[in-house]
């Protein structure tokens, strides 16, 4: 999917327009993602993502019945347009969600059933020589581009499955708004909201049959990964404070 805070100039990959385009992969400078506060993750990513990033939920549009869709996200910052995992262009984690791993490519939807491979033409790694070609001299996609297409197809499939899976949390009314306030060194308060989290009391109140159903579907394991990942919010707060301007020194007596 296209994220405007990451994909600045997404365009469909075209055999004629991009015949001579090359890419300097892998991405070395992640400054392009410095304003990316969060990113969608698929259910298949929860185990890896939970080790380093907080996993939360947001409402993302509505389904066919007009009910809110629930999207799980990996959170990178505590305020808008903040990515605390990008430091001087480097990535401060050992892993990254699929949306970033597959950058500068993304899925562009034509309609509910069709999608195309898109490229962020605004990325500095799009060059005319010295990189990996998208198309061969015969005009056919290179193995690299074919592999990207397969990765995007697989990610699009698990994305749709994830949306369906998390409708169950919505239907069971297990999500609640999340908010926390933190006191900063200068005495001001940082308030973080706009996210959803699992309501532990409602989860514990479920009957045994429903808990077993969630276990069999794999959703219960995803909920546990989400809960464990919340510990990383403290890390983000520490990183946020470290980036604040230093307080002016007190004048000499």
């Amino acid at each position: 999917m296209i994220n405007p805070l990451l994909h600045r100039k997404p365009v469909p990959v075209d055999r004629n327009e991009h015949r001579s385009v090359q890419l300097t992969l892998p991405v070395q400078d992640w400054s392009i993602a410095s304003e990316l506060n969060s990113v969608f993750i698929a259910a298949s990513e929860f185990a890896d993502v939970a080790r380093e990033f907080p996993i939360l939920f947001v409402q993302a549009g509505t389904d066919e019945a007009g009910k809110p869709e629930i999207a799980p996200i990996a959170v990178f910052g505590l305020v808008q347009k903040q990515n605390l995992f990008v430091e001087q262009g480097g990535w401060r984690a050992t892993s990254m969600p699929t949306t970033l791993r597959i950058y500068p490519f993304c899925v562009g939807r034509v309609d509910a059933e069709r999608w195309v491979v898109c490229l962020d033409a605004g990325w500095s790694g799009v060059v005319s020589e010295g990189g990996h070609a998208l198309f061969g001299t015969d005009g056919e996609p290179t193995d690299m581009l074919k592999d990207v297409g397969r990765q995007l197809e697989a990610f699009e499939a698990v994305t749709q499955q994830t949306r369906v899976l998390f409708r169950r949390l919505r239907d069971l009314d297990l999500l609640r708004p999340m908010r926390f306030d933190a006191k900063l060194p200068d005495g001001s308060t940082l308030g973080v909201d706009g996210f959803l989290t699992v309501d532990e009391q409602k989860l514990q109140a479920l009957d045994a049959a429903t808990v077993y159903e969630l276990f069999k579907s794999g959703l219960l394991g995803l909920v546990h990964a989400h809960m464990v990942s919340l510990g990383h919010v403290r890390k983000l707060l520490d990183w946020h404070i470290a980036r604040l301007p230093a307080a002016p020194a007190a004048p000499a007596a």
Side-chain angles (χ1 to χ4, degrees):
M1 62 185 67
I2 296 173
N3 189 315
L5 292 179
L6 177 64
H7 310 106
R8 309 300 173 85
K9 190 180 177 181
V11 296
V13 174
D14 181 84
R15 184 188 308 270
N16 297 318
E17 184 177 351
H18 300 117
R19 181 79 171 259
S20 61
V21 165
Q22 298 184 17
L23 305 175
T24 55
L25 295 172
V27 177
Q28 299 295 331
D29 183 357
W30 283 104
S31 298
I32 189 71
S34 61
E35 294 185 350
L36 188 66
N37 171 270
S38 61
V39 72
F40 171 86
I41 59 169
S44 57
E45 300 182 82
F46 268 55
D48 287 335
V49 170
R51 294 188 181 101
E52 298 190 83
F53 310 91
I55 297 174
L56 292 168
F57 305 94
V58 294
Q59 292 188 10
T62 57
D63 61 16
E64 300 83 356
K67 296 181 179 179
E69 291 278 28
I70 302 302
I73 57 173
V75 178
F76 302 146
L78 299 180
V79 298
Q80 290 186 355
K81 294 187 177 182
Q82 178 192 64
N83 190 337
L84 295 165
F85 284 88
V86 176
E87 185 81 359
Q88 296 181 342
W91 186 251
R92 301 176 73 181
T94 57
S95 63
M96 59 175 54
T98 299
T99 297
L100 287 172
R101 284 194 288 107
I102 210 162
Y103 183 83
F105 298 99
C106 60
V107 165
R109 296 217 67 88
V110 177
D111 53 38
E113 302 297 330
R114 296 177 298 161
W115 58 272
V116 295
V117 175
C118 288
L119 166 71
D120 183 5
W123 178 47
S124 61
V126 179
V127 296
S128 57
E129 58 182 3
H132 298 273
L134 298 177
F135 296 94
T137 55
D138 58 357
E140 293 300 312
T142 60
D143 289 341
M144 183 271 291
L145 184 56
K146 291 178 182 177
D147 184 55
V148 165
R150 287 190 289 267
Q151 291 182 58
L152 286 174
E153 182 176 18
F155 188 54
E156 185 65 9
V158 296
T159 293
Q160 300 305 322
Q161 294 166 4
T162 299
R163 289 193 177 114
V164 172
L165 187 61
F166 280 97
R167 289 173 185 170
R168 188 60 177 139
L169 289 187
R170 175 203 67 192
D171 294 342
L172 288 170
D173 193 28
L174 290 179
L175 296 172
R176 62 175 175 81
M178 170 188 172
R179 177 179 176 86
F180 77 87
D181 297 297
K183 188 71 72 176
L184 300 180
D186 64 359
S188 64
T189 299
L190 172 66
V192 178
D193 56 16
F195 302 115
L196 300 172
T197 186
V198 170
D199 188 317
E200 292 190 55
Q201 289 186 340
K202 289 185 177 180
L203 181 67
Q204 292 172 358
L206 292 176
D207 59 81
T210 303
V211 171
Y212 182 71
E213 171 215 324
L214 297 181
F215 168 73
K216 289 292 288 183
S217 70
L219 195 48
L220 188 60
L222 300 180
V223 168
H224 288 159
H226 150 69
M227 290 178 170
V228 170
S229 78
L230 295 180
H232 297 304
V233 173
R234 178 71 234 187
K235 174 177 65 180
L236 295 191
L237 179 59
D238 291 341
W239 287 359
H240 176 84
I241 292 173
R243 287 192 181 185
L244 295 176

